[in-house]
Amino acid sequence: MGDESPNYTVDDALVAMGFGNFQILVLAYAGMGWISEAMEMMLLSFVGPAVQSAWGLSSHEESLITSVVFAGMLVGAYSWGIVSDSHGRRKGFLITAVVTSAAGFLSAFAPNYISLIILRCLVGLGLGGGPVLSSWFLEFIPAPNRGTWMVIFSGFWTVGTILEASLAWCVMPTLGWRWLLALSALPSLLLLIFYRVTPESPRYLCLKGRTTEALSVLEKIARMNRAELPPGILVSDHQVGVPENSNPSEDTKLLSPEADSGPSHKDIDSNVGGISSLFMLLSPKLLRSTLLLWMVFFGNAFSYYGLVLLTSELNNGQNKCGVAELQSEKTQDINYKDVFITSFAEFPGLLLSAATVDILGRKLSMSAMFFLCCIFLLPLVFHQPQGLTTALLFGARICITVTFTVVYIYAPEIYPTSVRTTGVGVASSVGRIGGMLCPLVAVGLVHGCHQAAAVILFEIVIFISGICVILFPFETKGRELKDTLSSSDQVNSIL
């Protein structure tokens, strides 16, 4: 009787229905969240100097406006990951949208420095939920198209940076920084307006045993995509018997070489939360992947924000170790046109990511770009003409854009659904530490007339990141997402 009633998983259903109208709407919603985060991050380079000039702040007080946002993101990325893994993806990004939009809008009315610092820290806390939206979108994409569509999703970040640069160019010279803060909070508000129509992840629902609700979501996808669900009964990933339903290939390597057949393990996997989810990230099955991922996220953030800062530092007199007066004068006179133009530098990186991620795979795409970035930066150990310096930094920026884009595809794929957003969130938090340290360490060396030391530091961080990518235990190109560690173990037992 059981043989006459075939089973299918969420992955089987998504592959059968393909990428269609439903996923495009999910992409638009998640992309708006990514635009919101990019705009809130980009405005830091405009608001800091303006507030310093208006309120007579010291350089330390100005830098704190940026640092508290990163500090808030560090806490938020971990916290919202736990919330979404325990209570659902929708609840996770609802709370982040409320916090980001409210704190972002209210910061435009901050009466003094202390209140501005507190509100911007809350904005960072909300922005830390970015990985929740990326994981939510990922769980609706059929495995064969996952890499390409996640690259397209990453493109919304670049759109956000361009929108913010355009907005600053129009608003700052006439209306001032308060209007820029208020208008930049609008994308987060749009997330709240359209929240009611967003579906919960069917993969998350299956993991929690809510297969009826998951089936309802899949039926809606089928209607909107004008496709049909596979015949049979929807089951959770760990309920599928591997020998009958699995067709492993070289891309189906999973997390552990050991099998685990205890039924209680499934229950633990599907109900993790809080500190237990962090311990699961550091369990023997995930420890290697987690630690390597933290290194890569740290190296990516350190290098990405460093290259953005070095692009201006090495081309505004720093090659000759200009005096402090030149720097303070430069800080107050932001060239919005130049910032707008340089924001387009990430588009070649996105195109390169789209071209390689599903052909070369995640690991080869990242490692090759890390090492190529080292090659671009090597001549900058010595002072170079301005044109050559700009060209080399432009090439390095393309490479880091590729690695940043691909790691945000790879990271959710290596974790099971039970700890996916927690895993990506914690890794993102580690990346924020790299973002905070970068201006203090690397750019500080340039200010101190130590360009060679700064570039060598970048070379070391980027090279180590490339080695870490090579050491990742498996490739995820074309691999189905797994719901639990136990389901990963079952497949491994027959590999």
Side-chain angles (χ1 to χ4, degrees):
M1 184 99 175
D3 294 337
E4 297 172 4
S5 237
N7 296 331
Y8 66 91
T9 64
V10 171
D11 266 313
D12 296 331
L14 291 175
V15 171
M17 293 182 291
F19 192 102
N21 295 330
F22 185 92
Q23 282 89 348
I24 289 174
L25 293 177
V26 172
L27 171 63
Y29 187 87
M32 183 57 64
W34 217 227
I35 288 173
S36 169
E37 180 167 345
M39 291 180 69
E40 291 287 356
M41 293 302 298
M42 188 72 177
L43 69 77
L44 296 174
S45 59
F46 305 120
V47 170
V51 174
Q52 180 188 37
S53 177
W55 290 351
L57 304 179
S58 66
S59 58
H60 173 72
E61 288 173 324
E62 180 198 352
S63 65
L64 193 59
I65 297 174
T66 298
S67 297
V68 294
V69 176
F70 278 106
M73 293 177 79
L74 192 153
V75 176
Y78 171 65
S79 304
W80 306 136
I82 290 177
V83 169
S84 64
D85 278 338
S86 302
H87 304 288
R89 310 311 191 215
R90 293 182 78 243
K91 285 188 175 66
F93 59 71
L94 170 64
I95 301 172
T96 64
V98 170
V99 173
T100 304
S101 59
F105 188 75
L106 289 175
S107 62
F109 302 95
N112 52 51
Y113 176 73
I114 297 298
S115 59
L116 181 64
I117 287 292
I118 294 172
L119 288 167
R120 295 315 295 174
C121 184
L122 289 174
V123 169
L125 186 69
L127 292 177
V132 177
L133 275 171
S134 62
S135 295
W136 175 70
F137 173 60
L138 178 86
E139 292 175 354
F140 284 99
I141 309 176
N145 311 114
R146 203 160 54 220
T148 301
W149 282 106
M150 286 302 289
V151 170
I152 294 172
F153 169 73
S154 300
F156 282 89
W157 179 279
T158 302
V159 172
T161 62
I162 293 171
L163 281 176
E164 186 64 28
S166 306
L167 191 62
W169 193 2
C170 298
V171 171
M172 287 291 285
T174 54
L175 300 176
W177 61 271
R178 292 186 184 273
W179 276 92
L180 183 66
L181 285 173
L183 293 173
S184 298
L186 290 179
S188 296
L189 186 61
L190 288 176
L191 292 180
L192 295 176
I193 293 173
F194 293 103
Y195 172 77
R196 288 181 61 86
V197 299
T198 58
E200 181 56 88
S201 163
R203 187 180 302 278
Y204 169 83
L205 292 171
C206 263
L207 176 69
K208 295 299 182 181
R210 295 154 61 182
T211 52
T212 303
E213 295 173 63
L215 182 60
S216 177
V217 175
L218 292 174
E219 288 171 345
K220 184 176 181 180
I221 297 175
R223 286 195 301 272
M224 292 190 67
N225 289 4
R226 297 180 180 178
E228 293 184 1
L229 288 170
I233 301 171
L234 175 64
V235 294
S236 181
D237 178 69
H238 65 265
Q239 292 176 291
V240 178
V242 171
E244 296 177 7
N245 296 281
S246 174
N247 184 23
S249 65
E250 62 179 8
D251 289 328
T252 324
K253 285 187 178 180
L254 298 174
L255 300 173
S256 167
E258 302 174 21
D260 179 62
S261 56
S264 59
H265 193 177
K266 299 174 185 176
D267 299 330
I268 294 170
D269 272 355
S270 61
N271 292 287
V272 293
I275 299 299
S276 60
S277 61
L278 181 60
F279 284 140
M280 184 175 287
L281 297 180
L282 299 175
S283 66
K285 298 181 180 66
L286 291 173
L287 181 61
R288 178 180 170 186
S289 296
T290 295
L291 294 180
L292 290 172
L293 193 65
W294 289 357
M295 289 291 296
V296 173
F297 263 85
F298 180 93
N300 256 321
F302 188 91
S303 307
Y304 176 85
Y305 292 112
L307 289 174
V308 171
L309 292 169
L310 284 181
T311 301
S312 59
E313 295 294 339
L314 296 183
N315 283 330
N316 66 10
Q318 290 304 305
N319 287 347
K320 303 178 183 62
C321 287
V323 293
E325 299 99 64
L326 177 64
Q327 276 304 102
S328 59
E329 191 176 303
K330 186 81 176 174
T331 301
Q332 302 301 330
D333 185 24
I334 299 174
N335 191 323
Y336 298 104
K337 180 181 177 182
D338 285 351
V339 175
F340 177 79
I341 292 173
T342 54
S343 297
F344 283 90
E346 295 182 17
F347 276 118
L350 291 172
L351 294 175
L352 194 55
S353 302
T356 60
V357 69
D358 278 332
I359 298 175
L360 300 180
R362 284 55 160 156
K363 290 180 61 176
L364 184 55
S365 297
M366 283 191 285
S367 59
M369 287 300 107
F370 272 127
F371 297 138
L372 184 59
C373 185
C374 288
I375 295 173
F376 276 119
L377 287 179
L378 192 58
L380 295 178
V381 171
F382 306 101
H383 294 302
Q384 303 294 343
Q386 181 172 333
L388 179 58
T389 297
T390 301
L392 291 169
L393 287 172
F394 187 85
R397 177 85 174 266
I398 290 175
C399 295
I400 289 298
T401 299
V402 174
T403 60
F404 224 129
T405 301
V406 177
V407 79
Y408 265 102
I409 299 171
Y410 184 79
E413 292 177 331
I414 65 175
Y415 289 120
T417 304
S418 53
V419 291
R420 181 167 295 124
T421 53
T422 300
V424 180
V426 173
S428 180
S429 293
V430 175
R432 304 307 174 191
I433 297 173
M436 285 189 287
L437 290 178
C438 172
L440 299 174
V441 179
V443 179
L445 289 173
V446 177
H447 282 202
C449 300
H450 300 296
Q451 177 180 325
V455 173
I456 290 172
L457 177 60
F458 277 105
E459 291 274 9
I460 292 171
V461 172
I462 294 169
F463 184 80
I464 291 175
S465 299
I467 295 297
C468 288
V469 171
I470 293 175
L471 296 176
F472 276 130
F474 54 86
E475 173 61 64
T476 60
K477 181 186 72 172
R479 195 199 77 163
E480 291 185 354
L481 297 179
K482 294 301 169 185
D483 290 337
T484 64
L485 287 181
S486 48
S487 63
S488 299
D489 296 339
Q490 286 178 325
V491 175
N492 275 320
S493 67
I494 67 166
L495 288 180

